[in-house]
Amino acid sequence: MSNYPLLNAFLTMLWFFLWVLWFMLLFRVIHDVFSDDGLSGWAKAGWTVFVCILPFLGVLAYLVARGRGMGERSMRRAQAQEQAFRSYVREAAPSGPAAGTSKADELAQLAGLHDHGDITDAEYEAAKAKVLVS
């Protein structure tokens, strides 16, 4: 028989989960401090020292003082990365007549994809019809 009751196992898992959650929150706050371009170097140093010396109070104070901006800054960074990615794709892989490809070249590429098994018969026929119509 076991000397570790089910309730103790549950409480151990709960404490472990809270411990992991705490570290995720701590690292999220530290990441936000260093990725915020609006903070000066002294402000970043101050928040970092506060969070490292008094972690619970520091994280709580940071969330109260700057918590709303964390999501907004994260959203702006994600949008900027998405825009940069889309811009890179547009520059790196132009398509259509602007790329200097003819319909025959596009059909040859489609046939190669179809023969290689990268696209299905239905996708091939739909793409072929789109190339021939344009």
Side-chain angles (χ1 to χ4, degrees):
M1 201 64 153
S2 174
N3 271 345
Y4 203 65
L6 184 61
L7 182 60
N8 284 351
F10 173 75
L11 290 175
T12 300
M13 288 188 298
L14 178 69
W15 281 112
F16 181 75
F17 173 75
L18 290 174
W19 182 73
V20 169
L21 185 68
W22 162 249
F23 277 106
M24 288 176 56
L25 182 62
L26 180 67
F27 292 138
R28 172 80 191 259
V29 166
I30 291 173
H31 175 265
D32 189 65
V33 166
F34 284 106
S35 64
D36 185 9
D37 293 332
L39 283 178
S40 68
W42 286 107
K44 289 179 183 184
W47 276 113
T48 303
V49 167
F50 190 33
V51 166
C52 289
I53 300 295
L54 298 170
F56 292 109
L57 184 61
V59 168
L60 182 63
Y62 189 83
L63 290 176
V64 168
R66 300 179 47 84
R68 176 178 298 229
M70 286 177 70
E72 294 168 357
R73 287 186 293 277
S74 177
M75 184 63 73
R76 281 195 304 265
R77 280 191 300 271
Q79 288 172 347
Q81 287 176 345
E82 176 73 19
Q83 183 62 31
F85 174 74
R86 289 183 182 277
S87 174
Y88 172 75
V89 168
R90 268 188 244 105
E91 292 173 8
S95 63
T101 59
S102 66
K103 287 184 181 184
D105 293 335
E106 290 183 43
L107 289 173
Q109 285 179 338
L110 282 173
L113 289 172
H114 182 256
D115 293 342
H116 194 270
D118 292 333
I119 58 175
T120 65
D121 292 337
E123 291 171 329
Y124 172 72
E125 292 300 327
K128 184 171 85 171
K130 184 178 177 183
V131 169
L132 292 175
V133 170
S134 62

PDB file of all heavy atoms in Angstrom, residues 1-6 8-9:
ATOM      1  N   MET A   1       0.831  -1.172   0.000  1.00  0.00           N
ATOM      2  CA  MET A   1       0.000   0.000   0.000  1.00  0.00           C
ATOM      3  C   MET A   1       0.884   1.246   0.000  1.00  0.00           C
ATOM      4  O   MET A   1       1.964   1.248   0.551  1.00  0.00           O
ATOM      5  CB  MET A   1      -0.915  -0.048   1.232  1.00  0.00           C
ATOM      6  CG  MET A   1      -2.123   0.793   1.102  1.00  0.00           C
ATOM      7  SD  MET A   1      -3.130   0.144  -0.221  1.00  0.00           S
ATOM      8  CE  MET A   1      -4.685   0.651   0.261  1.00  0.00           C
ATOM      9  N   SER A   2       0.385   2.300  -0.534  1.00  0.00           N
ATOM     10  CA  SER A   2       1.153   3.537  -0.660  1.00  0.00           C
ATOM     11  C   SER A   2       0.935   4.435   0.551  1.00  0.00           C
ATOM     12  O   SER A   2      -0.145   4.494   1.128  1.00  0.00           O
ATOM     13  CB  SER A   2       0.717   4.262  -1.926  1.00  0.00           C
ATOM     14  OG  SER A   2       1.334   5.514  -1.998  1.00  0.00           O
ATOM     15  N   ASN A   3       1.993   5.145   0.918  1.00  0.00           N
ATOM     16  CA  ASN A   3       1.913   6.115   2.010  1.00  0.00           C
ATOM     17  C   ASN A   3       1.683   7.532   1.492  1.00  0.00           C
ATOM     18  O   ASN A   3       1.895   8.491   2.215  1.00  0.00           O
ATOM     19  CB  ASN A   3       3.198   6.092   2.840  1.00  0.00           C
ATOM     20  CG  ASN A   3       3.135   5.082   3.962  1.00  0.00           C
ATOM     21  OD1 ASN A   3       2.058   4.605   4.300  1.00  0.00           O
ATOM     22  ND2 ASN A   3       4.286   4.771   4.517  1.00  0.00           N
ATOM     23  N   TYR A   4       1.329   7.672   0.229  1.00  0.00           N
ATOM     24  CA  TYR A   4       1.142   8.990  -0.383  1.00  0.00           C
ATOM     25  C   TYR A   4      -0.300   9.088  -0.876  1.00  0.00           C
ATOM     26  O   TYR A   4      -0.607   8.665  -1.992  1.00  0.00           O
ATOM     27  CB  TYR A   4       2.139   9.153  -1.532  1.00  0.00           C
ATOM     28  CG  TYR A   4       2.440  10.591  -1.877  1.00  0.00           C
ATOM     29  CD1 TYR A   4       3.084  11.428  -0.985  1.00  0.00           C
ATOM     30  CD2 TYR A   4       2.071  11.114  -3.109  1.00  0.00           C
ATOM     31  CE1 TYR A   4       3.358  12.739  -1.301  1.00  0.00           C
ATOM     32  CE2 TYR A   4       2.352  12.429  -3.429  1.00  0.00           C
ATOM     33  CZ  TYR A   4       2.989  13.230  -2.521  1.00  0.00           C
ATOM     34  OH  TYR A   4       3.261  14.529  -2.841  1.00  0.00           O
ATOM     35  N   PRO A   5      -1.189   9.639  -0.065  1.00  0.00           N
ATOM     36  CA  PRO A   5      -2.615   9.683  -0.440  1.00  0.00           C
ATOM     37  C   PRO A   5      -2.854  10.493  -1.711  1.00  0.00           C
ATOM     38  O   PRO A   5      -2.031  11.321  -2.117  1.00  0.00           O
ATOM     39  CB  PRO A   5      -3.285  10.357   0.752  1.00  0.00           C
ATOM     40  CG  PRO A   5      -2.301  10.341   1.851  1.00  0.00           C
ATOM     41  CD  PRO A   5      -0.948  10.216   1.241  1.00  0.00           C
ATOM     42  N   LEU A   6      -3.999  10.238  -2.304  1.00  0.00           N
ATOM     43  CA  LEU A   6      -4.372  10.894  -3.552  1.00  0.00           C
ATOM     44  C   LEU A   6      -4.441  12.410  -3.394  1.00  0.00           C
ATOM     45  O   LEU A   6      -4.018  13.156  -4.285  1.00  0.00           O
ATOM     46  CB  LEU A   6      -5.724  10.354  -4.038  1.00  0.00           C
ATOM     47  CG  LEU A   6      -6.213  10.873  -5.380  1.00  0.00           C
ATOM     48  CD1 LEU A   6      -5.227  10.504  -6.472  1.00  0.00           C
ATOM     49  CD2 LEU A   6      -7.585  10.328  -5.692  1.00  0.00           C
ATOM     50  N   ASN A   8      -2.645  14.297  -1.439  1.00  0.00           N
ATOM     51  CA  ASN A   8      -1.274  14.813  -1.428  1.00  0.00           C
ATOM     52  C   ASN A   8      -0.689  14.846  -2.844  1.00  0.00           C
ATOM     53  O   ASN A   8       0.041  15.765  -3.203  1.00  0.00           O
ATOM     54  CB  ASN A   8      -0.391  13.980  -0.510  1.00  0.00           C
ATOM     55  CG  ASN A   8      -0.650  14.277   0.943  1.00  0.00           C
ATOM     56  OD1 ASN A   8      -1.364  15.222   1.276  1.00  0.00           O
ATOM     57  ND2 ASN A   8      -0.089  13.457   1.823  1.00  0.00           N
ATOM     58  N   ALA A   9      -0.992  13.835  -3.641  1.00  0.00           N
ATOM     59  CA  ALA A   9      -0.523  13.832  -5.032  1.00  0.00           C
ATOM     60  C   ALA A   9      -1.142  15.003  -5.792  1.00  0.00           C
ATOM     61  O   ALA A   9      -0.459  15.690  -6.563  1.00  0.00           O
ATOM     62  CB  ALA A   9      -0.882  12.509  -5.704  1.00  0.00           C
TER      63      ALA A   9
END
